[in-house]
Amino acid sequence: MATASPPLISSLNSTSTSFRTRTSLPTCSFSPKLLRPLASFSVKASRKQVEIVFDPDERLNKIGDDVDKEAPLSRLKLFSPCKINVFLRITGKREDGFHDLASLFHVISLGDTIKFSLSPSKSKDRLSTNVSGVPVDARNLIIKALNLYRKKTGSNKFFWIHLDKKVPTGAGLGGGSSNAATALWAANQLNGGLVSEKELQDWSSEIGSDIPFFFSHGAAYCTGRGEIVQDLPSPFPFDLPMVLIKPREACSTAEVYKRLRLDQTSNVDPLTLLENVTNNGVSQSICVNDLELPAFQVLPSLKRLKQRVIASGRGEYDAVFMSGSGSTIVGIGSPDPPQFIYDDEEYKKVFLSEANFMTREANEWYKEPASASATTSSSESRLEIPNEM
């Protein structure tokens, strides 16, 4: 045999994702018979070694590739944006224990990323995430949404899902509801589009009141429990900036509603608010939220945060208000928080993000903006998720 390096060795050295070289190989003779079917083994050549390391990700990718061959579409990566309530009126208490509301919901550019792949399993979905504290079992709205889709359509497809979480929970931003809507959309796409968006929207109210909104085009006037969705053109320019400030403490939606007193809510007609924001854009007088007072009772520091943002903004913000049931304070008009957020020890670990209004095109899901960014803390790159979703 010639002394030039054999083709097999060259092939091994070029596959860097599956093989790790301890030392470079000398020019030597080599016989393939020395290889053994082991996860890790070496070839001796003048006391030099090559170690071939088993890569479990390669096996998973191969399984995924095999699934790809059997389906026209088997993988999706989707943006799952959150929302803010530009105004939120609570108009009454229902016999079923829920409250009637009237609100202008709008999607914004802060969101999670979710990857979906068809699974060879015929019995179970598998969910993973990048943060601790997020349930990955049937408590998660993603799993609830996939179970709902199978129940309604009779589909037998199950999924591998990875959730890259950026939206904090307990924030009044609808992150979990958006995840559920995104999962329903993905399941329908990966099943060949068995049903219409309208059907997905109607079904989604069975697992969450805010989920149907995300099947709008991004701006909607929502009534009932939130499940009656009137799609609207966006009344805002997409380059209008905002900043989101969420303290580490979350607001329990149940506790906020428990403290709500209807005789202490605003008496302004929500249709008047809608007309004003459509004609004149956002302003402090329009951004009414009937849940602020009870939320401030649950979390008094949240009221102080809102007051300080308004005072320190010196007119920089067109409006400052709480989104949903809290605990996020939104400042529209500037992407920057007031300086005290950085200076005061009390706010060293708040969640901060700049954002913009956004919508989606018909028959497409939301697209992640190229400039989407979030700072998970004013002093640290960390996102802490409470043990709920």
Side-chain angles (χ1 to χ4, degrees):
M1 181 180 294
T3 59
S5 298
L8 181 58
I9 294 296
S10 299
S11 174
L12 293 178
N13 286 337
S14 65
T15 314
S16 59
T17 57
S18 297
F19 304 96
R20 183 172 66 247
T21 303
R22 287 182 175 170
T23 58
S24 58
L25 281 175
T27 302
C28 63
S29 61
F30 178 78
S31 173
K33 293 181 181 180
L34 292 174
L35 294 176
R36 297 292 185 268
L38 299 176
S40 177
F41 55 89
S42 61
V43 179
K44 292 183 178 179
S46 301
R47 298 182 181 179
K48 304 294 184 181
Q49 291 183 328
V50 172
E51 181 183 23
I52 303 178
V53 181
F54 174 70
D55 184 352
D57 289 339
E58 283 294 316
R59 179 175 176 273
L60 293 178
N61 287 334
K62 185 178 186 304
I63 293 173
D65 291 339
D66 290 341
V67 172
D68 284 346
K69 295 175 183 177
E70 300 176 4
L73 179 65
S74 63
R75 300 182 189 184
L76 278 176
K77 179 181 178 182
L78 296 175
F79 185 55
S80 180
C82 64
K83 58 81 182 170
I84 60 171
N85 301 86
V86 179
F87 64 80
L88 175 55
R89 286 290 336 278
I90 305 299
T91 57
K93 181 78 176 285
R94 300 157 55 105
E95 292 183 359
D96 60 8
F98 290 94
H99 289 78
D100 281 316
L101 60 83
S103 178
L104 175 58
F105 284 57
H106 208 300
V107 165
I108 60 174
S109 57
L110 172 66
D112 304 328
T113 302
I114 314 180
K115 296 178 182 179
F116 299 87
S117 298
L118 284 177
S119 170
S121 171
K122 298 300 181 183
S123 61
K124 187 177 181 181
D125 297 305
R126 189 180 74 180
L127 173 64
S128 61
T129 183
N130 64 316
V131 294
S132 61
V134 173
V136 294
D137 54 19
R139 293 172 295 166
N140 193 293
L141 280 170
I142 292 174
I143 302 299
K144 289 182 179 181
L146 297 176
N147 286 335
L148 178 67
Y149 186 85
R150 284 186 289 265
K151 174 185 173 183
K152 295 292 189 180
T153 64
S155 169
N156 64 351
K157 288 184 170 63
F158 288 80
F159 303 92
W160 289 338
I161 314 103
H162 181 73
L163 170 63
D164 186 5
K165 195 77 180 152
K166 293 186 175 66
V167 179
T169 62
L173 298 174
S177 296
S178 175
N179 292 167
T182 304
L184 285 170
W185 170 275
N188 197 45
Q189 294 297 304
L190 294 171
N191 277 274
L194 296 178
V195 298
S196 67
E197 275 190 48
K198 183 64 170 63
E199 288 173 289
L200 295 176
Q201 185 180 52
D202 292 344
W203 296 344
S204 68
S205 65
E206 295 183 20
I207 57 174
S209 298
D210 289 351
I211 303 173
F213 158 69
F214 290 96
F215 290 100
S216 73
H217 290 96
Y221 180 64
C222 299
T223 53
R225 293 183 290 113
E227 84 284 8
I228 302 172
V229 179
Q230 179 185 343
D231 217 344
L232 299 172
S234 176
F236 309 113
F238 295 147
D239 61 353
L240 178 63
M242 70 184 77
V243 62
L244 310 177
I245 309 172
K246 182 202 173 293
R248 294 189 67 186
E249 300 85 1
C251 275
S252 164
T253 300
E255 187 63 27
V256 170
Y257 273 101
K258 182 179 177 180
R259 297 187 182 225
L260 174 69
R261 290 180 53 181
L262 292 174
D263 61 349
Q264 295 180 342
T265 59
S266 171
N267 57 10
V268 63
D269 186 339
L271 289 175
T272 299
L273 294 174
L274 182 61
E275 181 181 5
N276 287 342
V277 76
T278 300
N279 294 332
N280 304 314
V282 70
S283 67
Q284 191 66 51
S285 62
I286 286 171
C287 297
V288 174
N289 186 343
D290 285 335
L291 295 180
E292 279 194 2
L293 181 58
F296 293 164
Q297 293 171 356
V298 173
L299 197 60
S301 60
L302 194 59
K303 178 180 180 179
R304 185 168 66 255
L305 173 60
K306 178 189 174 183
Q307 290 173 335
R308 291 193 66 182
V309 172
I310 292 173
S312 302
R314 298 185 178 88
E316 189 174 6
Y317 305 110
D318 300 320
V320 177
F321 57 92
M322 185 184 80
S323 180
S325 58
S327 58
T328 299
I329 298 297
V330 181
I332 294 183
S334 172
D336 302 315
Q339 186 61 38
F340 76 84
I341 294 292
Y342 298 108
D343 295 341
D344 290 12
E345 189 67 28
E346 179 181 359
Y347 301 110
K348 287 298 182 183
K349 294 183 179 180
V350 300
F351 173 92
L352 291 176
S353 178
E354 61 183 74
N356 297 86
F357 293 105
M358 63 174 291
T359 57
R360 68 183 178 100
E361 299 295 329
N363 303 315
E364 295 183 6
W365 200 242
Y366 299 95
K367 306 295 185 185
E368 182 173 8
S371 60
S373 65
T375 303
T376 59
S377 167
S378 58
S379 61
E380 303 173 2
S381 295
R382 181 175 63 186
L383 176 58
E384 295 190 0
I385 303 294
N387 193 22
E388 58 185 32
M389 182 74 172

